Amino acid sequence: MRNKHHALRKVLLTSLVLMLLVAFMPVRAYADEAFQIGIDGYKAEDGNLKIYVNQNQGSSFTITPEQTEVMLGNNTLTTQEIRTFGETGEPVTYLCVIDVSGSMSQDRIDKAAEVIKNLADMKKAEDKIAITTMGNELNQSAYMTDPEEIKNLADSIKVTREDTNLYYAVVEEINALKASDDAKGKRCLVIFSDGADDQATGVTQGEAETAVTGSHIPVFTVGLLKNAKSTSDQEMAKILGSFARISSGGMHFAPALGDGEIETIADSIIDRINSSFVLYEGLEDVNISGKEVALKTTISTQDGQSATDTLTLPDSDVKSIQEYIESLAPAEPEVPAFDISITQVATEDGKLVVSVNHNKDASVFDSIQNVEVKLGDTLLGNVDKKLSEEDGETILLYEEVEDLSLLDNETTLYASISALGETAVDTIRISAEDASTLKGALGKLIFGLKPMYFYALCGLLAVLLALVVLLIVKNSKKDEIAEEEPQDDFSEEEGENTYDDNVPTQGSPSFNNESVTIPGEALNNQGASVTMPITSATPADSSSLNVLFVRMGKGEEKSFKATVSGNPCKIGRSATQSKMAMTDDTALSSVHCSLSTKGNRLFIKDEKSTNGTFVNGVPISGQFELSQDDIVLIGSYEYRVSWK
C-alpha cells in the first residue's frame, strides 16, 4: 500500500513539473494573442476600393466577406472578394535600421546582417530593401533590389563608439518611408537594436509611439540583448518590442530570450506580410464629398472576437476616389478595334506586294503611322504603300526582299499596321510552291546578287581597274624622267664621305645638352652669335601639403603629421612600410590607406585594408576627396584631418 502511494506521488510530481515547463516555454502562439487589425493602405482600382489590412493571427487565419464590415463616410461598402497580400504579387519595401552604437557589439550586428541577407534571398525580385545605420546620425542607403548588393552592404556594417538615438530613428525612418517615391507597394520598418536610447535628440518614447500608430506601417523589432539575464537589458528589449506590438501588424523577436531564431526571423516577417488581407469593396452607388472622410473596417473571427481600425482619408484622396467612381459610369458604345487581314501576296517591278484589307473606311490610310512586314523572323525594308486602284480601300504594301533565300521553303508572312492610335497584325503561311513562284518572279541571282547589284558592282570594279592602270602609267613616266636627271658628284675617299658631321659649317647653329648657339650669319646679322639655354617643356609638379591627423576621443591627444607631395603617403601599422605609422593600433592593416594630392586638394584611398576606411561614417572604395576637418575612421580610432 505504501509503495502505491509513493508511486502515485511520483507521477503527480512528474506531471506538475511537465505542466510548469510547458507553461513557461517561449512559444509564439498567434491564437493566444488578442486579435488586432490595422489598415495599411487603400486605392481605387478595377472598379473596387482595395483596402490593405494587416492582422496578427498568422497565415492560418482566414476570413470570408460575411466576416467584414466596411464604412466609407456614410456609405456601407460590400466586400466583393478577399485575397491575401501574397496572392496579389504586389511589391514590398523593407527599411532596415541597424543599431551600430557603442552599446552594441560586432557579433550582434553580424546577426542583424544575417537576417537582412536572408530577407534579400527570400524577397520577390521587385521588392526593395534599404539599410540605415543608427548612431549619432542616421545614414540611409538607397533602395536596392539586387540581393548581392544588399548582402554586400549588410556585411560591411561595423560597430562604432557612437550614442544611440532609437526614438529619433523610429520617427525619422517612418517619415522617410511615407515620403519616399522609391518606397513602392506595402512598406514596413525592421529595427535591430538592444533597445537603449540616450535621448540626446530630445525625442521621447511617447512621440515615437505616436509616429508608429499614426503611420499604419507594420514595424518589426529584433531585440539583440547584450545579457539575456540582465533585468535592465530585458526592460530595454520590452520597450523596443512595444513599437512592434502597437504597430499595424508588426512582430517582435528576442532570440536571446527564446522568442524567435535568427535563421527564421526573415521567413516570419515575410509570412506576416503575405498573410495580411486585401479587401475588394464595391463602389456601386457610393457617394462621398470632397472633404476628409473616415474609412472604418471591422473584421470578426469565428470564435466571436472582432477588431476595428479607422483611417481618415485626406481631402485629395477623397476627391480622387470620387472622380474614379464617376468614371465607372456606363461608357459610350465601343468602337470595333482596328483589324487587318492579308488577302494576297504577289510581285511587281521586283518588289513583294502584300494586299491588306481592314475594317475601317478609306480615311484610315492617311492616319497610318508605322508599317512592318516580316518573312519568317526577318524584317523587310524599303516599305512603300498605296491604295488599290480597283476598290480604293485595299492597302497595298510594297516591300524589298534583299535575301531571296527567305523564299526557299514554306515560310510565314507577318504584316503590322499602326493607325488611329492602334496596331493591327495578321499572319499567313506561304507554301513552299508559292514561295518558289514568288522567288522566280523577283529575279534570279548572279553570284548570289540581284542583277542590278551585280552590274553595279561590275561597273565599280571597272572604274577601280582604270584608276590602277592610270597610276601605273604615271609612275613609270616619273621613273623615266628620274633616270635622265644628272646626279650630284661627291668626293669620296676609301668609300666614305669627306663631309664631317661633327664640324659645323659656316652659319650653322651648334648646341650641347644645356644650350644652343646660333651664328649671326644664320640670323641675317653679321654681328655676334646668340646663345639660348635649353629648358624642359613640362616643369615638375612641386605642390605639397602638410597633413595633420588628430586622434579623437576622451583623453586622446595623439596627433600624426606627414608631408604629402608627388608620391602617395601610406598610413598603417607598419613603421617600415608606412610614412605615417600608427604602431599602437592593432586594428590597422600594415598599409591601411594612403594620401595623395592634386594641387591643394587632398585625396584618401583604402589600400584593401582588413577593417576598411570610413569618411564621416561612410565606407569608401577607390579614391575619395577629403574636406578640411573631415572625420576619418581607420582601425580603432577616429581622426580629424586638416592640412595647409
Side-chain angles (χ1 to χ4, degrees):
M1 188 76 170
R2 189 172 181 180
N3 289 335
K4 289 183 178 179
H5 285 299
H6 181 72
L8 180 60
R9 188 181 303 113
K10 189 174 181 180
V11 171
L12 290 174
L13 286 173
T14 302
S15 301
L16 180 60
V17 170
L18 289 173
M19 291 173 63
L20 289 172
L21 287 174
V22 172
F24 287 98
M25 283 179 65
V27 177
R28 179 181 294 277
Y30 293 113
D32 293 337
E33 295 185 48
F35 178 43
Q36 294 180 349
I37 66 170
I39 300 175
D40 189 11
Y42 55 87
K43 60 181 175 181
E45 187 177 80
D46 299 331
N48 295 296
L49 181 65
K50 294 170 64 175
I51 305 174
Y52 297 81
V53 181
N54 295 321
Q55 51 93 4
N56 65 340
Q57 297 299 294
S59 57
S60 60
F61 178 65
T62 60
I63 58 173
T64 63
E66 289 74 21
Q67 294 172 250
T68 66
E69 182 180 332
V70 180
M71 296 288 295
L72 180 61
N74 297 324
N75 301 271
T76 300
L77 305 185
T78 302
T79 303
Q80 308 288 342
E81 183 183 2
I82 299 175
R83 295 184 188 176
T84 63
F85 181 79
E87 291 173 334
T88 67
E90 296 182 18
V92 183
T93 297
Y94 304 89
L95 179 53
C96 300
V97 181
I98 300 182
D99 186 351
V100 297
S101 67
S103 65
M104 292 287 286
S105 58
Q106 189 60 49
D107 62 323
R108 285 180 281 157
I109 290 177
D110 290 342
K111 290 179 180 179
E114 182 178 347
V115 174
I116 294 175
K117 290 191 288 185
N118 290 338
L119 198 61
D121 284 331
M122 299 171 64
K123 73 177 188 67
K124 299 190 297 296
E126 64 272 23
D127 292 347
K128 295 182 177 181
I129 294 179
I131 301 176
T132 296
T133 55
M134 174 177 64
N136 292 337
E137 303 290 339
L138 300 176
N139 295 302
Q140 181 182 324
S141 74
Y143 288 96
M144 301 168 285
T145 58
D146 179 22
E148 292 305 316
E149 183 181 6
I150 296 167
K151 290 190 282 188
N152 289 339
L153 179 57
D155 280 335
S156 70
I157 297 175
K158 305 296 180 184
V159 67
T160 68
R161 292 177 172 79
E162 299 179 357
D163 295 330
T164 308
N165 292 309
L166 175 62
Y167 305 150
Y168 170 76
V170 171
V171 174
E172 289 298 311
E173 296 306 283
I174 281 179
N175 290 336
L177 267 178
K178 291 165 60 179
S180 175
D181 292 334
D182 291 329
K184 303 296 184 182
K186 183 179 281 290
R187 300 160 296 177
C188 62
L189 182 64
V190 186
I191 304 175
F192 302 88
S193 176
D194 56 5
D197 187 290
D198 59 9
Q199 298 189 11
T201 60
V203 178
T204 65
Q205 179 182 346
E207 290 174 317
E209 290 174 348
T210 300
V212 170
T213 55
S215 70
H216 295 264
I217 292 175
V219 178
F220 299 90
T221 54
V222 182
L224 300 171
L225 282 69
K226 180 178 181 181
N227 184 357
K229 296 181 180 180
S230 168
T231 302
S232 61
D233 283 10
Q234 293 177 9
E235 287 300 316
M236 288 190 299
K238 287 181 182 179
I239 293 174
L240 177 67
S242 67
F243 296 122
R245 286 186 286 272
I246 65 174
S247 73
S248 173
M251 295 176 69
H252 176 64
F253 306 91
L257 300 177
D259 191 359
E261 299 178 356
I262 292 296
E263 296 79 7
T264 61
I265 289 176
D267 183 69
S268 298
I269 291 174
I270 292 176
D271 179 73
R272 172 59 67 91
I273 291 173
N274 286 338
S275 63
S276 62
F277 296 128
V278 181
L279 309 183
Y280 293 76
E281 304 295 322
L283 292 173
E284 186 177 357
D285 299 326
V286 171
N287 186 20
I288 53 178
S289 66
K291 299 179 180 179
E292 292 184 350
V293 171
L295 175 62
K296 179 180 178 182
T297 301
T298 301
I299 296 178
S300 302
T301 64
Q302 296 289 353
D303 59 3
Q305 294 187 70
S306 66
T308 300
D309 192 27
T310 302
L311 190 65
T312 301
L313 278 59
D315 175 74
S316 58
D317 286 0
V318 173
K319 290 180 179 178
S320 296
I321 293 174
Q322 183 61 40
E323 290 173 358
Y324 180 76
I325 294 172
E326 294 171 356
S327 72
L328 297 177
E332 296 293 329
E334 291 189 5
V335 178
F338 178 41
D339 189 28
I340 64 172
S341 62
I342 301 173
T343 59
Q344 185 181 10
V345 181
T347 62
E348 182 181 323
D349 297 331
K351 292 185 178 181
L352 196 68
V353 183
V354 181
S355 300
V356 179
N357 285 347
H358 55 85
N359 63 339
K360 302 292 183 180
D361 56 37
S363 62
V364 73
F365 181 83
D366 296 326
S367 65
I368 292 178
Q369 301 160 327
N370 187 50
V371 174
E372 286 186 358
V373 177
K374 292 181 181 179
L375 274 177
D377 294 328
T378 302
L379 181 65
L380 304 183
N382 301 323
V383 63
D384 193 10
K385 61 183 184 297
K386 70 177 184 179
L387 288 175
S388 169
E389 296 179 358
E390 295 181 2
D391 58 19
E393 292 187 356
T394 301
I395 300 173
L396 303 179
L397 305 178
Y398 293 80
E399 300 282 337
E400 288 278 2
V401 181
E402 301 289 346
D403 184 3
L404 293 181
S405 64
L406 297 172
L407 294 167
D408 284 343
N409 301 298
E410 180 180 352
T411 187
T412 301
L413 179 70
Y414 164 94
S416 168
I417 299 178
S418 298
L420 304 174
E422 300 179 80
T423 299
V425 300
D426 191 26
T427 303
I428 64 168
R429 297 294 297 176
I430 299 178
S431 67
E433 181 180 356
D434 290 342
S436 177
T437 302
L438 291 171
K439 180 177 179 180
L442 289 172
K444 295 182 179 181
L445 302 180
I446 303 177
F447 294 110
L449 298 173
K450 286 186 176 182
M452 61 180 297
Y453 296 144
F454 174 77
Y455 295 130
L457 181 59
C458 289
L460 179 60
L461 291 175
V463 172
L464 291 175
L465 182 59
L467 289 174
V468 170
V469 172
L470 182 62
L471 288 174
I472 293 174
V473 171
K474 185 175 182 180
N475 288 334
S476 64
K477 289 183 177 180
K478 284 185 177 180
D479 293 340
E480 292 176 359
I481 295 173
E483 289 177 358
E484 295 174 358
E485 291 179 355
Q487 302 295 319
D488 292 336
D489 293 330
F490 291 91
S491 62
E492 298 182 354
E493 183 178 343
E494 295 181 358
E496 295 183 358
N497 286 331
T498 59
Y499 177 76
D500 189 352
D501 289 336
N502 296 321
V503 179
T505 60
Q506 184 178 6
S508 300
S510 62
F511 62 89
N512 55 35
N513 291 334
E514 296 181 354
S515 64
V516 59
T517 301
I518 303 176
E521 297 90 334
L523 297 174
N524 293 323
N525 182 3
Q526 300 302 318
S529 300
V530 178
T531 301
M532 294 182 291
I534 298 176
T535 60
S536 172
T538 54
D541 183 7
S542 61
S543 64
S544 63
L545 298 176
N546 296 320
V547 182
L548 178 64
F549 270 50
V550 179
R551 185 176 289 174
M552 302 177 65
K554 294 184 178 179
E556 299 290 353
E557 298 179 353
K558 285 191 174 183
S559 62
F560 300 86
K561 300 179 180 179
T563 299
V564 184
S565 56
N567 296 322
C569 171
K570 296 181 179 179
I571 303 175
R573 190 180 71 255
S574 172
T576 59
Q577 300 181 54
S578 302
K579 185 174 181 180
M580 186 185 291
M582 305 173 181
T583 58
D584 61 338
D585 190 351
T586 58
L588 279 176
S589 298
S590 297
V591 176
H592 196 98
C593 59
S594 64
L595 299 174
S596 59
T597 66
K598 291 182 181 178
N600 61 350
R601 298 164 65 191
L602 184 63
F603 297 81
I604 189 168
K605 178 183 178 183
D606 184 77
E607 298 293 348
K608 299 182 180 179
S609 62
T610 301
N611 296 320
T613 301
F614 298 74
V615 177
N616 298 325
V618 178
I620 67 169
S621 61
Q623 197 174 63
F624 184 88
E625 182 175 0
L626 293 171
S627 299
Q628 289 283 359
D629 296 326
D630 271 354
I631 305 301
V632 174
L633 170 61
I634 52 175
S636 305
Y637 302 97
E638 289 184 326
Y639 300 85
R640 186 180 302 280
V641 184
S642 60
W643 64 89
K644 59 182 180 179

